[in-house]
Amino acid sequence: AGILAMIAVPSFRQFMLNQRLKNASYDVVSALALTRSEAITRNSTVSLVASGGDWANGWCVTTAMDCSAAAIVQHAALNRGISVSTYLLGTTTAGPTTITFGSSGRMNSAATVFAIASATAVSGVQTRCVTLSLAGTSHISVVDTGSCS
C-alpha cells in the first residue's frame, strides 16, 4: 500500500495542478470575452485590469483604469501556486497589466500572450498560453517548455 501511495501522490499532484492551470486559462479567456462584449455593448472603451498590477492577484472588468467602484465584474486571486505573466506577442517583452477594448471590440494595445504556469517547476505540468489578437479574439494553447513566446 505504501508503494502504491508513493506512485499515486505525485501523479495526483500533477493532475490537480494541470486542472487549476486549465481553469485559470478559461477564466482569463472568459474575462477577455466579457471585456470585449461590454465595450461593444456600451459603445465605449472597457478595460480588463490586473488587481494591484499582478494578474495572479485577480482582475476586474471596468470602465475606469483601476479596480475601483466602477468595476463591472471582479475576479478573485488565483489559487496559490499559479503564476500569470503577460508578454507582447512574439517577444519576451513584458506585457501590459491593463487590456483595453474600444467600442468596435478591437484592442487598443498590442497583441498579448498570457502565460499561466505553475509558480514552481513540477514535472508533467504544462504551461497554458492564452493568445489575444488585435482583433480581440483569444485562444488557448498548451506547451511543455514553459515558454509561450
Side-chain angles (χ1 to χ4, degrees):
I3 294 172
L4 182 60
M6 287 175 41
I7 295 170
V9 169
S11 74
F12 183 72
R13 181 174 179 231
Q14 290 170 350
F15 172 77
M16 290 301 297
L17 192 49
N18 276 319
Q19 287 302 109
R20 287 183 183 130
L21 295 174
K22 184 186 294 186
N23 290 340
S25 66
Y26 291 156
D27 288 346
V28 169
V29 169
S30 176
L32 291 166
L34 175 64
T35 306
R36 182 175 188 239
S37 175
E38 285 293 324
I40 294 168
T41 300
R42 293 168 184 260
N43 196 30
S44 67
T45 59
V46 177
S47 298
L48 180 65
V49 179
S51 294
D54 183 351
W55 293 104
N57 291 336
W59 53 81
C60 68
V61 176
T62 181
T63 55
M65 292 309 289
D66 60 13
C67 293
S68 64
I72 298 165
V73 173
Q74 294 257 10
H75 189 283
L78 296 175
N79 288 321
R80 286 186 337 218
I82 296 178
S83 71
V84 181
S85 304
T86 57
Y87 302 96
L88 299 180
L89 184 61
T91 71
T92 56
T93 304
T97 56
T98 300
I99 305 287
T100 302
F101 290 91
S103 60
S104 67
R106 293 181 58 86
M107 282 183 41
N108 291 349
S109 58
T112 303
V113 176
F114 289 79
I116 303 165
S118 172
T120 57
V122 177
S123 175
V125 175
Q126 299 171 311
T127 298
R128 301 272 169 173
C129 306
V130 177
T131 304
L132 178 61
S133 73
L134 288 175
T137 59
S138 57
H139 71 274
I140 300 171
S141 57
V142 179
V143 295
D144 291 321
T145 62
S147 173
C148 293
S149 56

